[in-house]
Amino acid sequence: MINELLIIIFAPLVAGVIAWALDIKGLRELIGIVGAAVPLAYLAKLYPTVISETVDYSLTISGFTLQFQLNTMTWYFATVASLVGIAMAFGMASTSKSSYDWLFALMSFTGVVGVFLSQDFISFFLLWELMTFASFMMVLRRNRHESLKYFVLSVIGAYAMLIAIGILYAKTGALDFESIRQAMYIDASLGTMSTRETVLVFALFLTAFGVKAGAVPLHVWAPGAYSETDQSYTTFFSGALSKAGAYGFLLLYILMGYKLYATLGTFHGHLTFAYIIAWMGAITVVVASFLAVLQEDIRKLFAYSSVGQVGYILLAFGVGSTLGLAGGLFHVLSHAVFKGLFWLVTAAIILQTGKTQFKDMGGLARKMPFTFAMGLIAVLSLAGIPPLAGFASKWLIYEAAIQAHMPLVAGAIFLGSGLAFAYVVRFLYSVWFGQRPSDLEDVKEAPLPLLIAMAILAIPNLVFGVAPGLVTEYLNKILGGEVVGGDYYRLVTPTGTYNALLVTIALVIGIAIAGLVYLYGARVRKIPVTNTYQSGNPVTEEFNLSIRRNFYRPLAEALEFWLKYSWDRFYERLAGLTEDFADSLRQAFYNGNVQSYSWYLAIVLLILALWGVL
Amino acid sequence: MIDWKLVLEVIGILIYATFMGFIFMGIERKAMARIQRRVGPPIYQPIIDTLKLLGKKESVTHGFIYDFGPVFAMGASIAALLFLPIANFQLFSSNADLIVVAYMLEVPMLGIMLGAMSSGNPYSAVGVQRGLLTMVAMQLPYGLALIALIQHWGTFKLGEIVALQQTQGWSITVPALLLAFIVFDIVFQALLGLEPFDIITAPAEISMGPMVEYGGKHAALLFTQHAIQLFAETAFFAILFLGGASNLLELLIKQIAVLFIAIFVASIYPRFTIDQAAKFFWKWPTILGIIAVLLTV
């Protein structure tokens, strides 16, 4: 009997390999979906066990002991990833036409779930690399430049992590999380690990996890990588894979939280190390949201938006209170479901129209009504409209940040949510409303598997929005105490309340009253889009009345000064310089001149002589 | 099971708020007229306007979302109102706190924009763009003012904020919160859509922006929505900074006081362009807001 944890982790990979090897149309989709469904089924089955005890499994390979554990927190992350994973599989059944995609998409599924369940750095790092590699391969197929950018940054992150693990291993002699945690806890009072080493390890881990989470200034890979791949896969890429970074920050708390507190102390009443994470998050939220508003490509817009939303998670974790952790963990779920949904909607649009630029689209709401409804749910959830999941999690983050007396960080959330409003409306306007370009006349509704995938992610948006207590009750179990009170429908923090059900009811009552006024009025007559006010002039189909380009031009003008600076260009320049340097090195040393090679030999001999070897 | 007293209160407040909201709109027009030495329309003019619009024989529509937008906007305004403690009527206010209400007061905007966008009119689109940019611009100082207030009183609950002000004096008597008040008042001008921030509708520039296509009963819905929104926002202001109220008359006086400040400012300032507004909001109100929040930490 194979252990359940192994099945959870490796079922997708096995299914991916089978689907790739068989490569029979129809069958590979079926195998892929089944493989993606297995983890969720097992996680659901293990739920009653997990809430009372942990499920452990360890396995010895080449002298290393790999440990996996399912506890309340890892179960939560793994379930979120599996939920997005199954939606991805359904989506890919429509959008992906090759077995290559199935292999690597499911491989990264394994990587992500494995990272969440790992309890030691060996398996953590191995699966982390598997996840990076698989996602890199997904991007590589479409765009080499973007994939290499992603790969190089990921490698920098991964090896920063490897060095940090090395230092920790040298200091503690352990690789499993539990021993490291205890050793760090004891070390906080002993202080054998110097301040400099602690700061170094912290900085290395920040780099490692910051790259995956897409924190500014390590976010530059995200817009390219998120857009240059199968959009159904991006559901998982941005919905679950970016959470590995967020999970890493949480791991930092678990392993080294106390040690970091003892070493770095506090800053104006905040934990210094957490404060750094909070500001990283706040800057990410603001920068990425501003950039999202100014994008002209539907995929780029959501890529930046995804970076910004992960910033909220980092910010919430950085608040440092248990309420902040609860808010961040809730946002992990809600971001996964609404952003996953967004990418599926994008996948449907791109699949049916073949276009990605806002300037080519418009008036699709008539042609794809179900997709539009799903997109609207995602929009409302992301913008934080009360009875949806996105609001509940954002509300917790607001409460946490303001209660922890981080006013400027909380100000960043306010600004970020205003910007979120702006960019989702841009998406609504340019894609769904207005005049329809004549080449989109025969667009059809998205295929069934994609619609199923959307429904899988739309339902949690609604359910956890109206009943956020379902989530917070579980989060209380993770955090070990009554962090967020209330019942299924009501969230209660020490200083505030939010009754989602009542808000829903009030909204329904309000809409009902407004609807009655509407019905009382005279009958309506439907007129076409072109029958419209144009300063009293007649309009025909040839006029393009929808503003599709540079919608937020005034904002770009107001931000002119800031937009002159770009991390993207900075990295490109750095890469260019490195390349030139490597080139000049090659030309200087391997110059083809025999005499210079003999000179090298002479110099080496001279050094050895001076050293006293000869 | 059903709390009949609450139901009656809700119905009563809704009718009262709608009526008073229309009267506020009337006061606005009347006061503007008097400032320009005109007689102006009677104070109940907006009610007549709305009834006239409702009585139109036919309305046009551009599709489902076009109809749903105004309905959703008015629904959200009503919902926001229900979570405010209106004088001695608490309604549902113990079930949602400041953050929720502040958000709910912004939701109607989304409804209006949704409807406006679906009309496909370029003027609407420009209006939507300006509206969202105004919102983005004002959000930072607005948020800072609210944060200062919450940090000072140590609670998010509107009922408690009112109760604390009753015992410890109004918010504006606290120096740090006076700054927050100034910031909030500047933002308030944009919230109500009055000059110098009436960039969204901008009648002379972009022929009413988002509302350009709306006529008949849709316009009547938007008028009613505006009335309720006006009432809710002035009440929100009074609750946050002017110590709330123990009865409707007291609340009314405070609401009208707030309204008059807005009218006086609006009638002497010309409109900002959108990029000027963004730059303005990110300069002085933000600086004042940051000072206010740092003083209350």
Side-chain angles (χ1 to χ4, degrees):
Chain A
M1 178 66 202
I2 310 171
N3 184 276
E4 284 161 324
L5 293 191
L6 280 189
I7 297 178
I8 292 174
I9 296 172
F10 290 104
L13 181 60
V14 171
V17 171
I18 296 173
W20 174 72
L22 286 180
D23 197 13
I24 300 165
K25 197 171 175 297
L27 197 59
R28 64 167 184 242
E29 277 79 13
L30 191 68
I31 293 170
I33 290 170
V34 170
V38 168
L40 195 62
Y42 268 99
L43 285 166
K45 190 189 138 204
L46 287 173
Y47 173 73
T49 326
V50 165
I51 49 175
S52 50
E53 56 188 311
T54 61
V55 182
D56 293 276
Y57 181 72
S58 64
L59 154 107
T60 308
I61 295 175
S62 342
F64 292 113
T65 311
L66 308 187
Q67 295 179 22
F68 298 101
Q69 189 184 59
L70 206 54
N71 55 34
T72 43
M73 193 175 82
T74 58
W75 186 88
Y76 181 73
F77 274 91
T79 308
V80 171
S82 305
L83 186 66
V84 179
I86 180 138
M88 165 195 79
F90 272 108
M92 276 179 61
S94 299
T95 57
S96 177
K97 298 280 171 273
S98 82
S99 57
Y100 176 99
D101 282 353
W102 282 100
L103 174 64
F104 289 110
L106 291 175
M107 188 189 281
S108 71
F109 190 162
T110 289
V112 172
V113 175
V115 161
F116 291 149
L117 296 189
S118 291
Q119 281 299 305
D120 68 304
F121 269 123
I122 297 296
S123 49
F124 185 83
F125 187 74
L126 282 177
L127 289 158
W128 182 278
E129 287 297 84
L130 185 72
M131 158 183 111
T132 304
F133 169 72
S135 48
F136 158 72
M137 290 303 274
M138 287 299 287
V139 187
L140 178 66
R141 193 138 186 258
R142 323 254 155 154
N143 187 323
R144 192 158 173 275
H145 182 76
E146 293 301 340
S147 74
L148 285 178
K149 196 161 46 171
Y150 169 53
F151 192 66
V152 169
L153 274 164
S154 292
V155 164
I156 290 171
Y159 291 96
M161 177 154 74
L162 199 60
I163 297 169
I165 295 170
I167 297 173
L168 280 183
Y169 182 65
K171 293 291 158 189
T172 63
L175 278 171
D176 61 310
F177 292 166
E178 187 53 35
S179 318
I180 291 177
R181 196 177 69 83
Q182 281 167 4
M184 283 291 125
Y185 190 76
I186 295 164
D187 198 66
S189 47
L190 293 177
T192 48
M193 207 165 144
S194 68
T195 309
R196 196 190 294 168
E197 283 162 348
T198 317
V199 172
L200 180 67
V201 170
F202 177 58
L204 287 170
F205 272 132
L206 274 194
T207 316
F209 301 136
V211 168
K212 266 289 169 292
V216 172
L218 301 167
H219 68 288
V220 290
W221 60 270
Y226 285 164
S227 41
E228 296 295 337
T229 179
D230 185 338
Q231 301 312 318
S232 299
Y233 175 67
T234 318
T235 302
F236 190 75
F237 200 173
S238 112
L241 204 139
S242 64
K243 300 304 175 307
Y247 176 74
F249 283 97
L250 217 51
L251 202 61
L252 204 58
Y253 269 91
I254 296 168
L255 296 181
M256 304 179 58
Y258 192 68
K259 170 73 183 163
L260 283 170
Y261 162 62
T263 315
L264 295 173
T266 57
F267 175 81
H268 288 287
H270 311 299
L271 301 171
T272 311
F273 78 96
Y275 201 57
I276 295 169
I277 298 177
W279 270 105
M280 249 171 102
I283 292 168
T284 307
V285 167
V286 173
V287 172
S289 304
F290 265 120
L291 289 174
V293 172
L294 300 174
Q295 297 308 310
E296 294 293 316
D297 182 314
I298 182 170
R299 303 169 301 171
K300 285 263 160 56
L301 187 148
F302 286 133
Y304 275 112
S305 139
S306 187
V307 172
Q309 297 293 324
V310 177
Y312 278 99
I313 299 171
L314 299 193
L315 188 155
F317 286 163
V319 167
S321 60
T322 46
L323 188 62
L325 292 178
L329 286 170
F330 199 158
H331 206 66
V332 164
L333 171 68
S334 48
H335 174 256
V337 291
F338 67 64
K339 193 42 69 69
L341 187 53
F342 262 128
W343 284 112
L344 288 170
V345 170
T346 314
I349 295 166
I350 294 176
L351 181 72
Q352 298 305 84
T353 67
K355 300 183 193 305
T356 64
Q357 300 281 320
F358 285 130
K359 66 178 165 55
D360 301 325
M361 288 186 271
L364 286 175
R366 296 270 165 73
K367 294 283 175 186
M368 306 166 79
F370 186 81
T371 313
F372 170 64
M374 293 294 130
L376 199 58
I377 290 176
V379 161
L380 295 177
S381 193
L382 186 142
I385 301 305
L388 284 150
F391 180 74
S393 57
K394 233 188 235 181
W395 180 81
L396 279 176
I397 298 174
Y398 273 118
E399 301 265 318
I402 300 176
Q403 263 180 41
H405 289 284
M406 289 189 177
L408 298 180
V409 171
I413 322 179
F414 269 99
L415 183 57
S417 69
L419 290 165
F421 240 80
Y423 64 68
V424 292
V425 167
R426 170 84 210 270
F427 160 72
L428 278 183
Y429 175 68
S430 309
V431 176
W432 303 109
F433 297 134
Q435 259 175 309
R436 189 167 38 243
S438 50
D439 54 341
L440 295 181
E441 278 311 321
D442 47 358
V443 168
K444 294 197 173 49
E445 182 58 277
L448 185 67
L450 202 50
L451 296 181
I452 295 173
M454 288 181 209
I456 290 173
L457 290 184
I459 291 165
N461 268 313
L462 297 170
V463 171
F464 296 136
V466 178
L470 289 172
V471 183
T472 54
E473 201 187 4
Y474 186 79
L475 295 180
N476 286 339
K477 287 191 190 108
I478 297 180
L479 300 167
E482 181 88 353
V483 178
V484 185
D487 47 38
Y488 285 150
Y489 305 111
R490 211 152 54 91
L491 300 184
V492 179
T493 67
T495 46
T497 54
Y498 165 51
N499 188 332
L501 184 67
L502 205 58
V503 169
T504 318
I505 292 173
L507 206 54
V508 170
I509 292 175
I511 291 175
I513 294 172
L516 284 179
V517 177
Y518 177 82
L519 289 179
Y520 170 79
R523 294 183 65 81
V524 291
R525 176 169 60 92
K526 195 141 183 250
I527 54 170
V529 179
T530 43
N531 184 355
T532 191
Y533 172 79
Q534 183 54 40
S535 306
N537 293 318
V539 199
T540 55
E541 279 290 339
E542 295 98 77
F543 290 92
N544 177 17
L545 296 180
S546 302
I547 305 171
R548 303 217 177 96
R549 274 173 223 251
N550 293 327
F551 193 68
Y552 288 122
R553 180 88 172 270
L555 186 68
E557 277 165 14
L559 293 172
E560 212 180 357
F561 172 75
W562 296 100
L563 294 174
K564 275 192 301 194
Y565 303 96
S566 147
W567 283 103
D568 221 9
R569 285 200 292 277
F570 170 73
Y571 285 113
E572 294 283 358
R573 198 168 298 167
L574 200 66
L577 282 178
T578 318
E579 240 170 86
D580 290 349
F581 180 65
D583 238 18
S584 53
L585 264 189
R586 186 170 55 85
Q587 277 160 11
F589 284 97
Y590 298 101
N591 48 16
N593 186 344
V594 183
Q595 280 193 356
S596 32
Y597 295 119
S598 48
W599 272 111
Y600 300 155
L601 195 63
I603 290 167
V604 172
L605 286 175
L606 188 67
I607 291 169
L608 288 177
L610 288 175
W611 217 337
V613 181
L614 289 180
Chain B
M1 182 63 197
I2 299 172
D3 187 350
W4 288 109
K5 185 165 163 288
L6 185 68
V7 173
L8 282 179
E9 273 180 12
V10 165
I11 295 171
I13 287 292
L14 275 181
I15 293 169
Y16 174 76
T18 317
F19 179 73
M20 287 319 291
F22 278 125
I23 296 298
F24 288 168
M25 284 162 76
I27 290 173
E28 204 181 298
R29 291 179 68 174
K30 191 82 181 169
M32 291 270 192
R34 300 307 305 178
I35 288 168
Q36 299 160 350
R37 300 203 179 178
R38 287 186 285 116
V39 180
I43 214 159
Y44 50 83
Q45 181 65 35
I47 301 178
I48 301 173
D49 288 349
T50 309
L51 289 177
K52 180 205 81 174
L53 285 168
L54 262 180
K56 290 264 178 185
K57 267 188 186 159
E58 191 186 60
S59 316
V60 294
T61 177
H62 284 289
F64 174 71
I65 294 289
Y66 182 82
D67 298 333
F68 180 71
V71 171
F72 180 66
M74 185 172 152
S77 284
I78 291 173
L81 183 74
L82 294 182
F83 287 96
L84 284 170
I86 306 290
N88 45 343
F89 301 102
Q90 291 299 314
L91 306 180
F92 299 146
S93 66
S94 61
N95 285 291
D97 58 20
L98 204 157
I99 300 289
V100 184
V101 174
Y103 249 85
M104 299 273 283
L105 284 172
E106 280 171 11
V107 176
M109 175 113 148
L110 187 79
I112 296 173
M113 306 253 150
L114 205 62
M117 285 184 301
S118 75
S119 73
N121 188 295
Y123 288 105
S124 304
V126 172
V128 167
Q129 177 229 55
R130 290 166 164 226
L132 287 163
L133 290 185
T134 314
M135 210 175 111
V136 165
M138 76 180 201
Q139 205 71 14
L140 187 59
Y142 180 52
L144 289 172
L146 295 183
I147 293 165
L149 196 86
I150 297 168
Q151 281 188 346
H152 180 79
W153 296 117
T155 177
F156 288 77
K157 290 175 190 145
L158 290 171
E160 277 178 28
I161 290 175
V162 172
L164 283 167
Q165 290 185 68
Q166 307 270 0
T167 54
Q168 299 175 22
W170 295 3
S171 294
I172 51 168
T173 57
V174 182
L177 292 189
L178 187 64
L179 288 181
F181 163 78
I182 295 168
V183 175
F184 192 87
D185 197 51
I186 296 170
V187 172
F188 194 62
Q189 214 72 19
L191 274 178
L192 295 188
L194 286 171
E195 288 98 336
F197 303 112
D198 67 337
I199 311 163
I200 307 175
T201 49
E205 279 174 41
I206 51 167
S207 24
M208 292 310 281
M211 291 75 163
V212 62
E213 277 286 288
Y214 282 115
K217 63 179 178 179
H218 297 89
L221 270 174
L222 287 173
F223 266 54
T224 319
Q225 184 271 333
H226 185 69
I228 299 169
Q229 185 81 0
L230 193 58
F231 184 89
E233 272 163 359
T234 45
F236 189 52
F237 196 135
I239 290 162
L240 292 183
F241 288 98
L242 303 179
S246 53
N247 57 53
L248 284 176
L249 185 64
E250 195 188 335
L251 183 72
L252 187 63
I253 292 166
K254 285 174 181 172
Q255 280 176 308
I256 288 175
V258 167
L259 195 65
F260 267 105
I261 300 174
I263 293 169
F264 290 151
V265 173
S267 50
I268 54 168
Y269 280 99
R271 185 179 308 131
F272 272 130
T273 63
I274 180 66
D275 55 324
Q276 284 169 340
K279 282 178 187 155
F280 171 77
F281 272 125
W282 287 333
K283 206 184 263 169
W284 298 111
T286 305
I287 293 169
L288 283 180
I290 289 175
I291 296 172
V293 292
L294 292 181
L295 285 175
T296 52
V297 160

